[in-house]
Amino acid sequence: MSSRYDVVVIGAGHNGLTTAAYLAKSGKKVVVVERREAIGGLAAGSEFHPGYRTAGVLHDTTTVRKWVIDDLELRKHGLETRKSAPPVFIPQIDGPGYLHFHDPRAAQKEIGAHSKQDAESYRQYRAFIRKISPVFRSVFDEAPADTDSLGVADLWGLGKKALSLRMLGKNDMMEIFRIVPMCVADWVNEWFESEILRVAVAGPAILNTMTGPWSPGSNLNLLLSEILFDSAVAGGPAALSQSLEKAARAQGVEIRTDAAVTRLKVAEGKIEGVILANGEALEAGLVVASCHPKHLFLDLLPARSLPIQFEQNLLGYRSRGVVAKINLALNGYPQFRCRPDFQPEIVRTGEHIDDLEKAFDPAKYSMFSVEPFLDIWAPSVENPTLAPAGHHVFSIQAHFAPHDLEGGWSDARKEEFFDAAMAALNRYAPGIEQYIVAAELSSPADLEARYRVTGGHLFHGEHAIDQLVVRPVPECSRYLTPFQGLYLCGSGSHPGGGITCAPGALAARAMQSN
Amino acid sequence: MPIPTPFHSRTSQHCYSLNWKDWAGYYTVSAYDTTHDSEYYALRHSAGLIDVSPLFKYEVHGPDAAAFLSRLTVKDLHKLKLGRVTYLCWCDDDGKVIDDGTVSSLDENYFRVTAAEPSLSWFDRQSRGYNVTIEDSTARIAALSLQGPTSRDILASVVNTDMDTLRFFGVVRCRLDATEVWISRTGYTGDLGYEIWVDSRHAERLYDSIMAAGRAYDLLPCGIDAMDVTRIEAGFIMNGVDYYSANHCLIEEQKNSPYELGLDWAVQLDREPFTGQAALRKEKADGAKRVFVGLDVDWAEVEAAFDKFGLPPDLPGHVWRDGRPVYDENQNWIGQATSGVWSPTLKKNLALAQVTAPFAKVGTRVQFEITVEYRRQVVGATVVTTPFFNPPRKRS
């Protein structure tokens, strides 16, 4: 049995759906094949306990690109963006806690409670980020230049980037060169005197990455999240996925779930289609993979067909997951001791930069954190339908739980890490365990098995200076691969992971221009 | 500092000249006597025994051994029959040569690869997805090269197998006196000859057996200087001299495809994917831009060039390895000669060279640069076929 399409997209995550919608919009006959029973991938909601749903494995939608929403007219397909992103609550054991607003005016009062001077510093910090944003956007909102064979268009693009950098003025330009490779701890220490603000600002730099705040280069991750920051999607990742699905279907995209690709059909270095687990062959001259690049090249293509240097580069691509996903079904909103009855949507633990660093340290040695660093989203605050009335859901990315845990991930080890995470939470919200109706912990090994993210890395590979832009490997810059007709469009390609939809959109554009 | 080979206790007894050379980290004899002439003549007229232990050797075992080597190299090793040896090269993804050597099929799922350079890492890196083990056996296995017209008779007198059935590029496991060895009908002299592979622990016993048997056949221990002369006559290229491994090249021009090294015949394109396949396909379709050729340098012109200075001509008795430019008749640069020597057998001034395709036809006249009294001179040379020396006994 076989069917013929112009394009087969592997994976119905947010990037796969984005690419499919773009390509179908340009007139291509597109099918999306998804291994799981539902669309959305890491951006899919799931019912992890009867009556309790999450909004996604990933939970942050503040980096979704506006221009993708506009291009695909996602608002017509039910997508709503919130006025602003929810603030982040940093609870304290002895102190009032700190609610971190992105907007400096909104933040003034909260910061002022900890440091008068920092309220002004934060305003300046935001102004600086605004000033340098165009430079970063010109890199992360466009396909990377093809440095191998620079064409006129590439030169033009590079020129524009250089110009946007130069337009900053010499001092700011030099400042960018200085700050990108820094460790985030040094940078926030330069800006702020209050430890709680430092930790609130620095936190995003280490989410989902094998870095601590004192790791060199961690500042780039902070800059990325700052520059891409925008308002969140109402309903979170699950709502985004649904609108992408509708938009894609409206363009005529066929979406097949429970349709795992077992291998790609290749002849003489040219892609001919995919073979599904049920034996069905989907023929297409173009295959676009939103799955993890290592899964694509090392599992779905014949082991003996990769160019040797390419294979070496790919094997060296770092994708060591550090997050265990914990979902909690709660019979009420837990009480944070520092602010009783306060029900924030986002909570991050750790009052000091060094709390984060200490959480990271064991990961280097393939051990999990003694006191994990928790990035907690409570999607039921915005969307109460995710849980029974009065009940709540905590969607937690618990750091650091390395994929290559010494001795491996067993049920006992998962329980141990879960207990450590709950103990960390209990310090700020005593009695949390009394609220827990049900809990689910997925180790990086579980996430790898469930979503085929090699190494269990939720960004499809580490965000690091050497793995951004040239992502995943030099041969795949501009979404190309060593196989004619095979393209990448997932988080393992430029500009990287998280919920931006940018890789999916930029890949589609790159394919159209080829 | 170089280390001794397993034959050192024997070779050092003969090496009156103390003329040692570092070959891949081992002390090897350049010439046992003050010059290598007598050793050269032994190789061509009776027999010479050369310690070639420094050759890099790899044992490839496993059900996927043939498939792995077929992916690694330019040849389909599924076709190599048990007891046969083949010469080949291996390339990078761009179809540029990494190294050349031989592959011997020693047993079911068991091959031995020889290489000029350390290759374990290169081999290992390509073995993902193959059920194979790769062992660097360079130190574990010692090797002697017994070359020359009487080599077959010498071996026939000491082995327990019929030497007449061991054909050109065959390999056999047998006993030589009391020593278990592999004998392959191979060599680097372009003559009748054998290579004998032995467990290093039995190296000295093997050496003594062969030297004793060779006494009646004018066998002489030979150094690598003499072997170098014979390999030029045979038209054999050498890694690090006539070409450089693509892994060591700094610019593209320094790299060579098999098609540029005269190894067209070794490349088997139409089969399962192998490293460099796509690039080699393209190069074959487009045609190589450079071609490997033999040059016969005009002796009369060399004499005349020296005569201008009142000097007798300088006979290159040793192989020269410093590259020399080659020009067309109008003094335009068209390539380089990479090594050469005066052939005592052919009485010709020979060079191995690489020239741009239009000048590769046999019979083409080119200009070859020599230096006399520190002045550059050009002398005429003719493109000729290799091997320069190709005696019928080589394949007999």
Side-chain angles (χ1 to χ4, degrees), chain A residues 208-223:
Chain A
N208 268 313
T209 60
M210 185 73 195
T211 48
W214 290 105
S215 302
S218 49
N219 205 34
L220 175 61
N221 285 331
L222 174 63
L223 293 170

Side-chain angles (χ1 to χ4, degrees), chain A residues 184-361:
Chain A
V184 70
D186 275 334
W187 204 53
V188 295
N189 286 352
E190 282 181 9
W191 279 104
F192 311 114
E193 63 173 16
S194 110
E195 189 67 14
I196 198 91
L197 181 56
R198 289 173 180 171
V199 87
V201 172
I206 64 167
L207 293 176
N208 268 313
T209 60
M210 185 73 195
T211 48
W214 290 105
S215 302
S218 49
N219 205 34
L220 175 61
N221 285 331
L222 174 63
L223 293 170
L224 266 189
S225 70
E226 290 286 21
I227 269 108
L228 300 178
F229 186 89
D230 214 318
S231 59
V233 171
L240 172 72
S241 297
Q242 281 157 17
S243 68
L244 280 169
E245 180 189 5
K246 283 182 197 150
R249 287 196 196 275
Q251 297 292 350
V253 173
E254 181 185 337
I255 300 173
R256 297 204 199 175
T257 51
D258 284 315
V261 173
T262 50
R263 67 185 173 87
L264 269 65
K265 267 179 78 178
V266 189
E268 314 233 324
K270 222 168 149 178
I271 287 295
E272 294 185 335
V274 302
I275 308 287
L276 300 179
N278 64 7
E280 188 181 355
L282 304 184
E283 287 172 29
L286 293 172
V287 172
V288 201
S290 70
C291 58
H292 194 295
K294 281 192 163 178
H295 176 52
L296 172 71
F297 292 112
L298 302 180
D299 302 336
L300 301 183
L301 279 155
R304 305 168 180 185
S305 65
L306 301 181
I308 189 66
Q309 190 56 53
F310 171 74
E311 186 178 270
Q312 284 306 302
N313 292 343
L314 192 73
L315 290 170
Y317 178 66
R318 300 189 307 285
S319 184
R320 191 177 163 204
V322 289
V323 164
K325 183 68 202 295
I326 297 174
N327 293 322
L328 296 181
L330 304 165
N331 60 19
Y333 199 100
Q335 294 278 317
F336 283 98
R337 189 162 55 189
C338 60
R339 288 196 196 187
D341 299 326
F342 181 47
Q343 299 189 354
E345 262 187 82
I346 310 172
V347 180
R348 276 205 304 266
T349 63
E351 297 178 53
H352 302 274
I353 288 285
D354 285 349
D355 291 343
L356 274 47
E357 186 71 14
K358 282 177 194 158
F360 163 65
D361 282 336

Side-chain angles (χ1 to χ4, degrees), chain B residues 154-265:
Chain B
I154 295 171
L155 287 179
S157 69
V158 275
V159 296
N160 68 344
T161 185
D162 178 7
M163 290 307 294
D164 289 332
T165 59
L166 183 59
R167 291 179 298 123
F168 194 45
F169 273 87
V171 60
V172 67
R173 180 87 167 141
C174 62
R175 285 176 84 83
L176 192 152
D177 267 354
T179 314
E180 286 285 337
V181 293
W182 286 274
I183 299 180
S184 57
R185 183 63 205 284
T186 51
Y188 202 41
T189 62
D191 211 310
L192 175 65
Y194 300 85
E195 286 167 314
I196 303 128
W197 314 84
V198 67
D199 186 313
S200 296
R201 290 171 300 179
H202 310 310
E204 288 155 334
R205 195 170 73 196
L206 172 72
Y207 195 91
D208 295 343
S209 295
I210 295 175
M211 284 303 286
R215 215 162 286 142
Y217 299 92
D218 295 331
L219 173 65
L220 200 64
C222 290
I224 50 180
D225 283 1
M227 183 169 68
D228 214 6
V229 180
T230 60
R231 73 102 187 163
I232 298 276
E233 290 176 334
F236 293 150
I237 55 169
M238 184 181 274
N239 183 352
V241 176
D242 301 297
Y243 77 96
Y244 293 91
S245 169
N247 280 340
H248 306 315
C249 292
L250 300 177
I251 55 172
E252 284 306 307
E253 190 189 314
Q254 293 175 335
K255 302 177 183 177
N256 283 114
S257 76
Y259 297 111
E260 295 173 331
L261 293 175
L263 302 179
D264 323 35
W265 57 273

Side-chain angles (χ1 to χ4, degrees), chain B residues 77-222:
Chain B
L77 275 308
H78 294 100
K79 293 180 185 161
L80 186 67
K81 294 199 178 88
L82 199 66
R84 297 296 299 162
V85 185
T86 189
Y87 169 79
L88 43 67
C89 65
W90 47 97
C91 300
D92 64 10
D93 288 323
D94 301 326
K96 303 300 183 186
V97 177
I98 298 291
D99 202 351
D100 64 309
T102 60
V103 175
S104 306
S105 175
L106 299 180
D107 205 342
E108 186 101 352
N109 302 326
Y110 174 26
F111 295 86
R112 178 173 298 144
V113 185
T114 65
E117 294 193 351
S119 308
L120 187 62
S121 139
W122 182 256
F123 291 178
D124 251 357
R125 275 195 255 163
Q126 306 208 37
S127 65
R128 190 183 72 87
Y130 294 91
N131 188 356
V132 289
T133 58
I134 307 165
E135 180 212 356
D136 184 337
S137 55
T138 306
R140 191 171 65 74
I141 294 172
L144 288 172
S145 185
L146 177 65
Q147 303 285 313
T150 63
S151 57
R152 175 158 38 207
D153 299 333
I154 295 171
L155 287 179
S157 69
V158 275
V159 296
N160 68 344
T161 185
D162 178 7
M163 290 307 294
D164 289 332
T165 59
L166 183 59
R167 291 179 298 123
F168 194 45
F169 273 87
V171 60
V172 67
R173 180 87 167 141
C174 62
R175 285 176 84 83
L176 192 152
D177 267 354
T179 314
E180 286 285 337
V181 293
W182 286 274
I183 299 180
S184 57
R185 183 63 205 284
T186 51
Y188 202 41
T189 62
D191 211 310
L192 175 65
Y194 300 85
E195 286 167 314
I196 303 128
W197 314 84
V198 67
D199 186 313
S200 296
R201 290 171 300 179
H202 310 310
E204 288 155 334
R205 195 170 73 196
L206 172 72
Y207 195 91
D208 295 343
S209 295
I210 295 175
M211 284 303 286
R215 215 162 286 142
Y217 299 92
D218 295 331
L219 173 65
L220 200 64
C222 290

